[in-house]
Amino acid sequence: MARIQFIGTDHPLYEQEVDLRNRVLLDPIGIDVAWLEERWPGMEARSEHFVAVIDHPKDGPRVVGCVLLLPDEPEKGVGKLAQMAVDPQRQREGIGRELCTELERRAFGELGLTRLFCHARKGADRFYQSVGWVPEGAEFEEAGIPHIKMVCEGG
Ligand SMILES: CC(C)(COP(=O)(O)OP(=O)(O)OC[C@H]1O[C@@H](n2cnc3c(N)ncnc32)[C@H](O)[C@@H]1OP(=O)(O)O)[C@@H](O)C(=O)NCCC(=O)NCCS
């Protein structure tokens, strides 16, 4: 099973996290993490990074999942979940659920946030629903693909 680790952008596993986000989320829509950083400078450093790691006896730690938390976004007390990705070979094993649980624990625990939201790609909304999040509002387009806002209340 994967273990969930909380890392910063200076951590040795950050490079693998970026590679995973590029492969799973961003390449298919023609952008990458460098492009995001150019568009929203400082966002990477301001985000909290959670990675799911599997330790390989020969190759060492491998990042198989990740998610970001932007605290106090867009206002104090609210947090945004972003960039949730699981390696295609390890999907449907409970890794996404584990990442979400850790992120919620941190957000509603130490950070004292009261509400989380994300812009879920259509299709992935069923994943968020299965971990207890609820849809809010109408479908909208972002980065050329249909999305739906999902929310999770703390407490
Ligand atoms: C969406 C994603 C993060 C889910 O991660 P995962 O590790 O595969 O999910 P889990 O195995 O933890 O699944 C948790 C629950 O969600 C459900 N689920 C997961 N993916 C689903 C999907 N695509 N459609 C419907 N249900 C889904 C599972 O059935 C499971 O429910 P259960 O435990 O009651 O059976 C992963 O599939 C992924 O990276 N997809 C591609 C990138 C993406 O779309 N990211 C989200 C951007 S908003």
Side-chain angles (χ1 to χ4, degrees):
M1 204 44 186
R3 62 186 160 83
I4 309 299
Q5 212 173 318
F6 183 42
I7 65 167
T9 53
D10 55 350
H11 193 278
L13 292 177
Y14 176 66
E15 205 176 311
Q16 284 196 47
E17 178 208 302
V18 167
D19 178 59
L20 183 70
R21 289 162 60 194
N22 283 338
R23 270 191 295 124
V24 177
L25 293 168
L26 303 174
D27 281 353
I29 55 170
I31 58 174
D32 60 13
V33 172
W35 185 92
L36 292 181
E37 185 58 13
E38 229 170 80
R39 179 96 188 263
W40 292 283
M43 193 72 95
E44 286 297 305
R46 197 165 79 73
S47 299
E48 300 208 338
H49 300 246
F50 300 81
V51 289
V53 181
I54 289 180
D55 290 306
H56 282 261
K58 253 177 56 195
D59 305 333
R62 185 175 306 159
V63 172
V64 293
C66 64
V67 67
L68 305 188
L69 168 63
L70 283 97
D72 297 320
E73 172 78 23
E75 67 202 55
K76 202 157 169 43
V78 179
K80 181 176 184 180
L81 175 156
Q83 300 279 289
M84 163 76 86
V86 172
D87 187 322
Q89 292 188 328
R90 307 307 299 246
Q91 288 176 7
R92 299 294 186 118
E93 291 181 15
I95 292 171
R97 178 187 294 277
E98 269 191 89
L99 283 163
C100 238
T101 302
E102 266 318 300
L103 182 143
E104 287 171 21
R105 202 193 325 265
R106 167 86 176 143
F108 298 136
E110 290 121 341
L111 297 180
L113 303 180
T114 55
R115 182 179 165 87
L116 287 168
F117 78 99
C118 73
H119 292 173
R121 294 181 181 193
K122 198 78 202 305
D125 57 324
R126 285 182 295 156
F127 159 73
Y128 293 107
Q129 282 193 51
S130 79
V131 295
W133 291 45
V134 293
E136 189 179 271
E139 208 176 290
F140 60 96
E141 203 176 286
E142 192 173 82
I145 40 179
H147 281 75
I148 182 98
K149 183 176 181 181
M150 303 292 299
V151 302
C152 175
E153 306 288 345

